[in-house]
C-alpha cells in the first residue's frame, strides 16, 4: 500500500473505495452523506495544494454524487457547463488520485476534456454551452432510438448568456428527452422554504403527478374549452408557488427549487425524473464555497485560488508587481476623471479585468452585461452612436464569441470604441480553452481597426490613451499577469500612431517583436548581438521601419504571442511581398496546434518564443540565411 493510498484509506474511508461511478452504485443510500463530507474535505485539501477553482465545486458536491448515483455514466451523458463546478465530478470518475497534478504540465486539466476522460461528455472552458450540446446529444439519441439519457448542468451565471436561451428555445421544437439542471448558487434558502420546495419538487417529479397530468390532458383534449382550462389551471397553480413560468413557456416541465445540498431529496427527485419523457427543467439552489468557511464568506475571492493554507485560508501571494489588468484599471479611472463621455463595459469580468475601483467610483458609467459578449459589443456600438466613448474590457478568448458584432456592428460603421483585450497570449494553467492566441489573426483582417500591443506596463497605459483618443475602433491587447515591471506614472501620455521603436541596434539579424515578446527578444538580441524592434502596432504596421530593417540586415525574425497563421508576422511577410523585397524571414509564435496547460514559462519554451528559443532559431537560421538570397544580393 503506497502512502497516498494509505492516506486516502485513513482520512477518506468511503471516498477511497470510489474509483468510478460503478463503485458509487454499490454504496447504500445512507452512506451517501458521509461520502459527500469526505468528497468536500478531499476537494478542499486537493485545491489547497494545487490551486484552481474552489467555491463553485464545493457547491456541487451533492449534485455530482446524486447524478452519478442515479445515471448510468458514461453511457448516459452528463454535460457540465464550464469546468468550475465539475471538480467533484472529476474526483468521482477515476481521477481522484491524479488531482495533485491539476492544472500542471502533463497533469489534469482544470476544465472538462473529452481527451482526458470518457465521463467528460463535452469539453468546456467557456460558459453557457451545456444546453446546446446536451440537446444535440439528446436529438442524436432520439434518432438512434437509444435509451441514453442526456443531462445539462448549468450555473445561474451562465444563464445570463443568450446562447443558453437560444438552446432552450430550440429545445421546444425537438422531440427528444432532455433534463436541464439549473445550479442556482446566488440564492440562499431558509430551512422552512427549502423544506417546502423540496416537498413540492418531489411531488412534481413523481410518476403519480406526471401520470395524472398527462392522462388528464388526454381525456380532456376533445372537450370544448377543457384543455385550455386545464392549462390555465396548471399554470396558475404552479405560478403561485414556483418561479418556473418562463421555462414552462419554453416547453419544459419545471421542477423546483430544490435544496441542492439535500442529498436524499436530490437522489429521490433525479430517480423520479430518470424515466420521464420530454423536456424537464430542475432548479436547484446551492451555496458557493459550501463547507469551507473562508470560501462561504468570500466566494468571489475563492472562485479561483492559488495554493492556500487549509487552516487559515491564506493564499500564496505571487509577485508584488502590478498586473496588466491593474494597470488598465488605474488607467480607466484616470481617463474617466478627464472625460465624462467614457463608459466602461464588461461581460461579467469586473474583478478579472481590474475594474472594481472604477465600478465603485463611476457606478453610473459602468455596465456589467453578464456573460453576453455579443451584446456587450453591440451595446457599446449604441453608446458610441450617441457620442459617448465606450471602453469594452474583454478577455481575448471571450472576444472570439463576438466576432460578428465586432465586424458588422462596430468596424463596418467605424464607431469610436476601444477594446481592452486582457489575457492575450498563453495563459498558463488555464490551458488551451482560455488561451488568447488568435485575436491578432482574426482582428488584423478587419478594416478600420487599429491594433496595438504594449511591450511593458508603461506602454500599456500609453497605448490605451492613444487608442482611446483615436477617432474610430481600436484594440489594445495585453497579456495575463505582470510584465517587465516598468510601472507607469499618472500622466496620460500618447504614442505616435503606427510607429515602432528600435530598442537595440545589432548586426546581421533584426528581431521584430510584438507586445509581450519584446522582453524575450531583447534577451536573445543581447546574446547574439541582434537588432531588436518593439513594433507596438500590428495595424497600422510601421512599414517604413520594417523596410529599413530588411535593407540593413540579412535575416528578419518576427516574434509574437499569437498564432503564426495570419498573425503579426504574416503582416510583415505581406508587406515584404508587396514591396518585392526578398529576404529570409522566420516567423515565431504559436504553432498550428492547441497548447496544453502548464506554467506560462513552460508554454513559451514549448513554442520557442522565450529568449532561449528565439536565440536557437536565429542561430540555426544564420548559416543558411545568405544562401536564400539571390546571387546579386549575396555578392553585394
Amino acid at each position: 500500500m503506497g502512502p497516498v493510498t494509505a492516506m486516502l484509506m485513513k482520512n477518506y474511508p468511503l471516498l477511497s473505495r470510489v474509483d468510478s461511478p460503478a463503485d458509487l452504485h454499490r454504496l447504500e443510500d445512507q452512506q451517501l452523506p458521509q461520502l459527500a463530507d469526505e468528497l468536500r474535505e478531499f476537494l478542499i485539501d486537493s485545491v489547497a495544494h494545487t490551486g484552481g477553482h474552489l467555491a463553485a465545486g464545493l457547491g456541487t458536491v451533492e449534485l455530482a454524487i446524486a447524478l452519478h448515483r442515479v445515471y448510468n455514466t458514461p453511457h448516459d451523458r452528463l454535460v457540465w457547463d464550464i469546468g468550475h463546478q465539475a471538480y467533484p465530478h472529476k474526483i468521482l470518475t477515476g481521477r481522484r488520485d491524479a488531482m495533485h497534478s491539476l492544472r500542471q504540465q502533463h497533469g489534469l486539466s482544470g476544465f472538462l476534456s473529452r481527451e482526458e476522460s470518457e465521463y467528460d461528455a463535452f469539453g468546456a472552458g467557456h460558459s453557457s454551452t451545456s444546453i446546446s450540446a446536451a440537446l444535440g446529444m439528446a436529438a442524436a439519441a432520439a434518432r438512434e432510438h437509444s435509451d441514453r439519457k442526456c443531462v445539462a448542468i448549468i450555473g445561474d451565471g451562465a444563464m445570463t448568456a443568450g446562447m443558453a436561451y437560444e438552446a432552450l428555445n430550440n429545445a421546444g421544437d425537438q422531440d427528444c428527452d432532455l433534463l436541464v439542471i439549473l445550479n442556482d448558487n446566488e440564492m440562499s434558502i431558509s430551512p422552512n422554504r427549502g423544506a417546502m420546495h423540496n416537498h413540492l419538487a418531489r411531488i412534481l417529479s413523481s410518476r403519480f403527478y406526471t401520470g395524472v397530468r398527462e392522462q388528464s390532458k388526454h381525456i380532456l383534449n376533445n372537450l370544448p374549452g377543457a384543455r385550455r382550462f386545464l392549462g390555465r389551471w396548471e399554470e396558475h397553480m404552479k405560478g403561485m408557488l414556483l418561479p418556473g413560468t418562463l421555462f414552462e413557456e419554453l416547453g419544459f416541465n419545471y421542477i423546483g427549487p430544490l435544496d441542492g445540498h439535500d442529498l436524499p431529496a436530490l437522489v429521490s427527485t433525479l430517480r423520479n425524473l430518470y424515466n420521464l419523457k420530454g423536456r424537464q427543467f430542475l432548479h436547484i439552489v446551492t451555496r458557493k464555497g459550501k463547507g469551507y468557511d473562508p470560501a462561504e464568506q468570500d466566494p468571489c475571492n475563492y472562485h479561483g485560488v492559488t495554493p492556500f493554507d487549509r487552516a487559515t485560508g491564506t493564499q500564496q501571494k505571487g509577485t508584488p508587481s502590478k498586473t496588466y489588468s491593474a494597470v488598465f484599471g488605474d488607467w480607466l479611472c484616470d481617463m474617466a476623471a478627464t472625460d465624462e463621455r467614457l463608459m466602461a463595459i464588461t461581460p461579467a469580468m469586473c474583478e478579472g479585468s481590474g475594474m472594481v475601483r472604477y465600478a465603485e467610483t463611476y457606478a453610473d458609467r459602468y455596465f456589467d452585461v453578464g456573460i453576453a459578449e455579443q451584446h456587450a459589443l453591440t451595446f457599446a456600438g449604441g453608446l458610441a452612436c450617441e457620442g459617448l466613448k465606450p471602453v469594452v474590457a474583454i478577455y481575448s478568448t471571450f472576444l472570439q464569441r463576438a466576432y460578428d458584432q465586432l465586424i458588422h456592428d462596430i468596424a463596418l460603421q467605424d464607431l469610436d470604441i476601444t477594446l481592452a483585450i486582457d489575457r492575450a497570449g498563453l495563459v498558463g494553467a488555464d490551458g488551451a480553452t482560455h488561451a488568447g492566441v488568435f485575436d491578432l489573426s482574426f482582428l488584423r483582417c478587419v478594416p478600420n481597426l487599429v491594433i496595438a500591443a504594449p511591450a511593458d506596463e508603461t506602454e500599456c497605459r500609453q497605448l490605451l490613451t492613444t487608442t482611446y483618443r483615436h477617432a474610430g475602433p481600436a484594440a489594445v491587447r495585453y497579456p495575463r499577469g505582470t510584465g517587465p515591471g516598468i510601472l507607469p506614472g499618472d500622466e496620460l501620455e500618447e504614442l505616435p500612431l503606427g510607429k515602432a521603436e528600435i530598442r537595440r541596434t545589432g548586426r546581421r539579424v533584426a528581431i521584430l517583436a510584438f507586445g509581450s515578446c519584446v522582453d524575450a527578444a531583447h534577451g536573445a538580441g543581447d546574446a547574439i548581438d541582434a537588432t531588436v524592434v518593439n513594433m507596438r502596432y500590428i495595424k497600422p504596421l510601421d512599414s517604413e521601419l520594417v523596410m529599413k530593417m530588411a535593407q540593413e540586415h540579412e535575416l528578419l525574425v518576427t516574434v509574437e504571442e499569437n498564432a503564426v497563421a495570419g498573425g503579426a508576422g504574416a503582416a510583415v511577410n505581406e508587406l515584404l511581398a508587396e514591396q518585392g523585397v526578398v529576404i529570409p524571414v522566420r516567423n515565431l509564435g504559436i504553432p498550428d496546434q492547441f497548447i496544453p496547460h502548464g506554467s506560462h514559462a513552460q508554454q513559451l519554451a514549448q513554442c520557442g518564443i522565450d529568449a532561449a528559443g528565439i536565440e536557437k532559431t536565429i542561430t540555426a537560421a544564420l548559416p543558411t540565411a545568405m544562401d536564400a538570397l539571390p546571387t546579386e544580393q549575396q555578392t553585394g
Side-chain angles (χ1 to χ4, degrees):
M1 180 183 297
V4 174
T5 304
M7 182 273 292
L8 281 168
M9 293 291 289
K10 178 181 178 181
N11 298 329
Y12 310 105
L14 274 184
L15 183 61
S16 65
R17 292 160 50 187
V18 180
D19 295 317
S20 72
D23 298 319
L24 179 58
H25 293 167
R26 297 186 184 99
L27 299 179
E28 301 294 332
D29 279 353
Q30 58 267 30
Q31 294 177 292
L32 298 184
Q34 179 185 338
L35 177 65
D37 291 340
E38 292 182 14
L39 177 53
R40 182 168 278 110
E41 292 300 310
F42 180 83
L43 178 60
I44 297 169
D45 286 340
S46 177
V47 178
H49 173 71
T50 63
H53 294 96
L54 181 64
L58 289 175
T60 60
V61 166
E62 287 82 6
L63 177 61
I65 291 173
L67 284 168
H68 284 293
R69 172 73 167 183
V70 173
Y71 286 84
N72 178 29
T73 55
H75 173 73
D76 293 332
R77 309 295 198 232
L78 301 184
V79 182
W80 295 85
D81 204 274
I82 206 167
H84 302 155
Q85 58 181 344
Y87 285 12
H89 157 81
K90 282 178 176 278
I91 294 168
L92 294 172
T93 53
R95 289 167 276 183
R96 179 197 62 218
D97 295 347
M99 286 295 288
H100 68 278
S101 69
L102 187 73
R103 293 161 51 88
Q104 299 174 32
Q105 190 176 42
H106 309 306
L108 293 181
S109 168
F111 298 95
L112 298 159
S113 170
R114 285 168 54 85
E115 292 183 1
E116 183 177 288
S117 173
E118 62 180 338
Y119 291 95
D120 291 358
F122 195 77
H126 296 183
S127 79
S128 314
T129 61
S130 58
I131 302 176
S132 297
L135 178 60
M137 294 174 187
R143 178 180 177 83
E144 298 164 6
H145 304 289
S146 170
D147 65 350
R148 185 170 64 244
K149 310 297 180 183
C150 300
V151 182
I153 306 102
I154 187 168
D156 59 296
M159 287 294 290
T160 62
M163 184 175 178
Y165 293 94
E166 292 173 11
L168 290 171
N169 181 59
N170 181 235
D173 291 332
Q174 300 283 342
D175 184 18
C176 59
D177 302 331
L178 173 68
L179 170 61
V180 175
I181 299 177
L182 171 60
N183 175 29
D184 183 348
N185 54 28
E186 290 299 319
M187 298 171 56
S188 60
I189 315 176
S190 65
N192 287 337
R193 186 181 175 198
M196 177 65 176
H197 281 288
N198 290 347
H199 178 64
L200 286 171
R202 282 193 288 266
I203 291 175
L204 294 173
S205 65
S206 68
R207 291 183 180 180
F208 174 78
Y209 172 82
T210 54
V212 169
R213 179 174 182 260
E214 296 304 317
Q215 191 65 21
S216 298
K217 286 182 179 180
H218 177 73
I219 294 172
L220 298 174
N221 189 47
N222 295 320
L223 296 179
R227 185 178 185 184
R228 184 179 178 187
F229 167 77
L230 180 64
R232 284 186 172 180
W233 174 84
E234 182 179 24
E235 182 178 336
H236 175 68
M237 293 303 295
K238 295 182 90 171
M240 287 194 304
L241 298 171
L242 304 170
T245 304
L246 169 64
F247 305 110
E248 293 277 354
E249 290 295 326
L250 290 170
F252 283 79
N253 177 41
Y254 174 88
I255 298 157
L258 178 70
D259 182 353
H261 301 300
D262 186 336
L263 193 46
L266 272 177
V267 171
S268 175
T269 301
L270 289 173
R271 281 174 174 160
N272 287 339
L273 288 168
Y274 189 83
N275 289 314
L276 291 186
K277 296 296 183 182
R279 296 164 299 281
Q280 312 297 325
F281 193 100
L282 175 61
H283 179 182
I284 70 169
V285 180
T286 61
R287 183 176 179 84
K288 282 184 178 178
K290 171 74 173 175
Y292 186 54
D293 187 65
E296 286 194 36
Q297 298 304 316
D298 190 1
C300 181
N301 191 38
Y302 284 85
H303 168 72
V305 296
T306 59
F308 62 93
D309 182 271
R310 166 67 194 265
T312 65
T314 303
Q315 297 184 44
Q316 292 180 10
K317 299 297 182 182
T319 172
S321 299
K322 184 170 287 190
T323 65
Y324 279 100
S325 299
V327 170
F328 164 73
D330 290 344
W331 171 85
L332 193 64
C333 290
D334 293 343
M335 183 58 77
T338 70
D339 189 348
E340 293 185 353
R341 298 173 301 160
L342 189 152
M343 302 286 152
I345 302 165
T346 176
M349 287 294 162
C350 178
E351 292 82 6
S353 294
M355 301 174 72
V356 173
R357 182 162 70 91
Y358 177 90
E360 295 171 349
T361 307
Y362 300 99
D364 60 329
R365 294 155 62 185
Y366 166 74
F367 303 92
D368 184 341
V369 300
I371 303 176
E373 295 85 1
Q374 295 169 300
H375 165 63
L377 265 65
T378 304
F379 173 66
L383 291 173
C385 284
E386 300 305 319
L388 298 174
K389 295 271 290 181
V391 176
V392 182
I394 189 168
Y395 289 11
S396 173
T397 188
F398 299 143
L399 179 59
Q400 295 163 189
R401 299 180 137 198
Y403 192 49
D404 178 65
Q405 286 68 30
L406 172 67
I407 295 174
H408 182 270
D409 299 340
I410 294 178
L412 183 63
Q413 303 181 83
D414 202 21
L415 295 178
D416 192 1
I417 291 169
T418 303
L419 297 176
I421 306 176
D422 202 338
R423 270 64 166 181
L426 297 164
V427 290
D430 280 343
T433 59
H434 282 58
V437 296
F438 306 108
D439 56 86
L440 292 184
S441 301
F442 67 70
L443 291 177
R444 200 170 63 78
C445 61
V446 179
N448 295 334
L449 187 65
V450 169
I451 310 168
D456 54 52
E457 296 88 337
T458 293
E459 203 165 83
C460 183
R461 184 179 174 92
Q462 293 168 332
L463 289 175
L464 284 165
T465 301
T466 306
T467 53
Y468 178 79
R469 290 176 176 165
H470 167 73
V476 179
R477 56 113 63 179
Y478 46 90
R480 179 181 187 175
T482 59
I486 305 173
L487 296 180
D490 296 330
E491 70 285 345
L492 293 169
E493 179 185 356
E494 295 183 49
L495 293 172
L497 186 65
K499 293 299 180 181
E501 66 159 351
I502 297 175
R503 285 278 180 106
R504 185 188 191 284
T505 301
R507 302 179 304 111
R508 299 189 68 187
V509 180
I511 307 174
L512 310 182
F514 294 85
S516 58
C517 291
V518 171
D519 198 45
H522 209 295
D526 287 342
I528 58 175
D529 192 22
T531 297
V532 177
V533 180
N534 168 24
M535 292 301 295
R536 285 184 178 156
Y537 294 92
I538 295 86
K539 189 176 182 180
L541 196 67
D542 191 340
S543 56
E544 182 179 342
L545 186 56
V546 172
M547 295 302 297
K548 177 179 169 63
M549 293 297 102
Q551 292 165 1
E552 297 178 353
H553 296 83
E554 303 168 19
L555 172 69
L556 294 185
V557 177
T558 67
V559 191
E560 61 191 297
E561 201 169 339
N562 185 84
V564 170
V572 172
N573 298 347
E574 291 162 11
L575 172 65
L576 296 172
E578 179 184 333
Q579 297 297 319
V581 174
V582 179
I583 183 174
V585 180
R586 296 292 185 273
N587 299 130
L588 300 182
I590 312 302
D592 190 22
Q593 63 189 72
F594 292 106
I595 306 303
H597 55 276
S599 71
H600 187 230
Q602 289 170 333
Q603 292 177 322
L604 293 177
Q606 179 180 344
C607 296
I609 52 176
D610 59 351
I614 298 169
E615 180 184 350
K616 181 179 179 181
T617 294
I618 293 173
T619 302
L622 273 177
T624 59
M626 292 297 289
D627 296 337
L629 294 172
T631 304
E632 62 271 17
Q633 287 184 253
Q634 292 183 36
T635 59

